[in-house]
Amino acid sequence: MSQIANMEAEVSVLGSVLLDGTLFSELDVQEEHFYHAGHQQIFRSMKQVAELGQMIDLVTVTTNLGDAITQVGGTVYLLEMASSVASTASMKHHEQLIFDAYRNRMAQMSAIQFADNPTEEGLDTLIGHLETYRDVGIVTQDKTTYDHLIEITEEMCFPTTEQSGFCTSFHELDDMTGGLQRGELIIVAARPSVGKTAFALNLAAGHARNGGSALIFSLEMGTKQLLQRMVSAEGYIDSQKWRNMAFSETDYAHAIRAIGTISEWSLHLYDQVRTVAAIRSTIRKMMRDNPGENHMIIIDYLQLMTPPNKNVRRDLEIGEITRELKILAVELHIPIVLLSQLSRGVESRQDKRPIMSDLRESGNIEQDADVISFLYRDDYYSRESRENTSMEVIISKQRNGPTGTVNLAFHKEHGRFGNM
């Protein structure tokens, strides 16, 4: 049975779609590829919901099934199907297992038919069927190895002056990293109030200013508060003035100009999305609705995210989150900037510049991240509060590039970074 049917894979694929309805459009599998009659009926119902232009979820699928819900195992079965999915990241792999079982099943059926009527004509029919089934669901690469080698040769012989990643507007940082690279998980870590949210907002502003699309998932601040900070940075307005609204005429003029500029950016902020599944769904919808844009993702911050599965060990929960985000970055070919808190261990050292071991639950983060950078500024640990100071961006890990430190100007009162 395991060779001609894979019930676990069928449950996983359908359960993934129940968790994230946007995944249905990514499926290549069709109704006839499922072995279980109930699963065929559930898939058919999902397809009907999608054709009606509705979001696929447990409620819409159950409603569409109507009285037929009892034939597929009832609402309880659909609930169990959705809750059994640990991660939707494996959906495409499990879809291939369904195709494997379907090919084996149809090949076996054709062989039995031939055995019942072993004629020369029947043999030709069998061979034709086997060749047809062999290609069902097979994923082919868009480019061959030879195509990639030709592309590499052309890039070497005719190099472009353009950097490979998305520009951050910070020249030294772009020189060291080549910009924010597609498919990479980029960690930005710092102690509380050092300026990691301000740095992330500056990255988003720089990307949007260059015509890119920035999606910011904030788990700590509301959208309005984030926009106030972006207006302060863009308009050179003291961010403390938002507390009592004590703005000067110059502030008003700068704010109006800044608001006009920001309103033209492709900037999308979300403050109610807390799981990787919800983030994945939101990004996929944005990319589907705006296919031609260069999307960059910022998540603020890691330790506030809800893990896919509750675990007694926090490091395992963090590991699940970073692993899924890395898979998402590769799958959607986008850079994901993930902010992270540092442990208090840094406070006990004489040199308080962060190192890898200062990352909370650092083992999994180090393994999954392509780039790990730390933010550090001297005045954070001194009583002197200067208006303008410098921020060190310490790149401690870069999978495909050098490590080192970049110094940026930091205007604390505006929350704005600049080149030194």
Side-chain angles (χ1 to χ4, degrees):
M1 178 66 71
S2 61
Q3 292 182 346
I4 64 170
N6 193 321
M7 303 297 284
E8 293 80 6
E10 292 185 8
V11 168
S12 177
V13 168
L14 294 174
S16 295
V17 176
L18 288 174
L19 285 177
D20 182 357
T22 62
L23 293 174
F24 186 80
S25 62
E26 299 183 16
L27 288 178
D28 297 311
V29 71
Q30 296 298 318
E31 179 183 335
E32 64 270 16
H33 298 139
F34 290 88
Y35 177 81
H36 192 279
H39 295 168
Q40 291 182 349
Q41 196 162 359
I42 293 170
F43 181 89
R44 183 163 62 248
S45 179
M46 289 176 170
K47 188 174 182 179
Q48 291 169 353
V49 170
E51 289 172 348
L52 291 172
Q54 300 175 355
M55 175 60 73
I56 299 173
D57 56 29
L58 191 63
V59 174
T60 56
V61 172
T62 301
T63 303
N64 183 271
L65 284 166
D67 294 338
I69 186 70
T70 57
Q71 300 173 18
V72 301
T75 306
V76 174
Y77 184 66
L78 268 66
L79 279 168
E80 291 175 348
M81 183 179 283
S83 62
S84 68
V85 177
S87 170
T88 59
S90 302
M91 186 191 74
K92 296 300 288 184
H93 170 66
H94 293 159
E95 182 185 38
Q96 285 303 311
L97 296 181
I98 295 175
F99 279 128
D100 290 344
Y102 173 78
R103 288 192 294 269
N104 291 337
R105 188 162 64 248
M106 299 309 292
Q108 184 185 82
M109 187 183 302
S110 296
I112 291 173
Q113 290 174 349
F114 172 72
D116 291 338
N117 183 27
T119 63
E120 188 171 340
E121 183 180 349
L123 180 60
D124 291 338
T125 301
L126 172 62
I127 293 173
H129 284 169
L130 293 178
E131 289 180 349
T132 300
Y133 299 140
R134 183 181 59 188
D135 296 331
V136 173
I138 295 296
V139 177
T140 57
Q141 292 279 51
D142 293 333
K143 294 181 179 179
T144 65
T145 302
Y146 180 78
D147 292 332
H148 283 293
L149 291 172
I150 291 296
E151 187 175 312
I152 291 171
T153 304
E154 290 176 348
E155 289 174 354
M156 291 178 65
C157 296
F158 308 102
T160 176
T161 56
E162 297 179 2
Q163 64 182 42
S164 56
F166 297 156
C167 178
T168 67
S169 298
F170 305 131
H171 307 320
E172 285 189 47
L173 189 59
D174 286 340
D175 288 343
M176 184 173 289
T177 63
L180 302 176
Q181 301 292 326
R182 291 179 182 272
E184 289 195 346
L185 177 61
I186 302 152
I187 302 293
V188 177
R191 289 292 292 151
S193 300
V194 166
K196 58 182 179 295
T197 298
F199 180 70
L201 293 178
N202 275 251
L203 291 180
H207 183 60
R209 200 179 291 117
N210 289 322
S213 170
L215 284 73
I216 303 174
F217 296 90
S218 175
L219 286 73
E220 187 176 32
M221 296 184 188
T223 297
K224 185 177 179 181
Q225 189 177 2
L226 289 174
L227 286 172
Q228 287 175 339
R229 295 183 68 166
M230 296 192 83
V231 171
S232 292
E234 189 67 20
Y236 293 93
I237 300 168
D238 191 335
S239 57
Q240 295 299 317
K241 292 185 178 182
W242 293 103
R243 294 178 179 275
N244 53 19
M245 297 295 175
F247 298 111
S248 66
E249 289 187 14
T250 302
D251 291 333
Y252 282 114
H254 287 181
I256 294 300
R257 283 198 295 270
I259 290 171
T261 299
I262 294 172
S263 66
E264 295 177 354
W265 293 347
S266 181
L267 183 67
H268 313 275
L269 294 91
Y270 308 89
D271 57 14
Q272 299 297 318
V273 182
R274 295 183 173 271
T275 65
V276 176
I279 289 173
R280 180 188 293 109
S281 177
T282 303
I283 297 171
R284 279 203 175 104
K285 184 178 187 305
M286 181 63 64
M287 295 182 71
R288 190 167 57 251
D289 294 342
N290 305 276
E293 295 189 3
N294 292 322
H295 301 282
M296 179 188 76
I297 313 303
I298 292 173
I299 303 172
D300 184 12
Y301 59 93
L302 170 60
Q303 283 75 19
L304 291 180
M305 294 185 69
T306 303
N309 299 296
K310 277 291 181 183
N311 200 300
V312 291
R313 286 177 51 184
R314 180 58 176 163
D315 62 323
L316 296 179
E317 292 180 345
I318 292 294
E320 283 192 73
I321 294 171
T322 56
R323 185 164 52 253
E324 288 212 19
L325 289 175
K326 171 56 185 174
I327 292 172
L328 183 63
V330 173
E331 179 186 338
L332 300 183
H333 199 46
I334 53 175
I336 296 181
V337 178
L338 177 62
L339 307 191
S340 176
Q341 291 278 29
L342 292 176
S343 68
R344 294 183 179 180
V346 66
E347 309 290 346
S348 61
R349 297 196 305 269
Q350 185 172 359
D351 184 357
K352 294 178 170 48
R353 286 175 174 79
I355 56 177
M356 289 283 206
S357 59
D358 294 322
L359 282 168
R360 289 183 177 177
E361 299 85 26
S362 61
N364 293 292
I365 301 175
E366 287 182 40
Q367 178 179 335
D368 296 323
D370 297 282
V371 177
I372 297 179
S373 57
F374 300 106
L375 303 183
Y376 171 82
R377 52 188 174 91
D378 279 328
D379 69 305
Y380 178 80
Y381 295 100
S382 69
R383 294 184 179 275
E384 298 178 6
S385 179
R386 294 170 291 173
E387 288 188 355
N388 300 327
T389 185
S390 64
M391 178 78 78
E392 294 181 21
V393 182
I394 305 167
I395 299 176
S396 295
K397 174 188 176 181
Q398 187 172 193
R399 203 184 300 277
N400 299 307
T403 59
T405 300
V406 172
N407 288 295
L408 299 176
F410 180 42
H411 303 261
K412 288 192 296 182
E413 74 279 15
H414 303 143
R416 185 182 180 103
F417 287 80
N419 296 294
M420 290 293 287

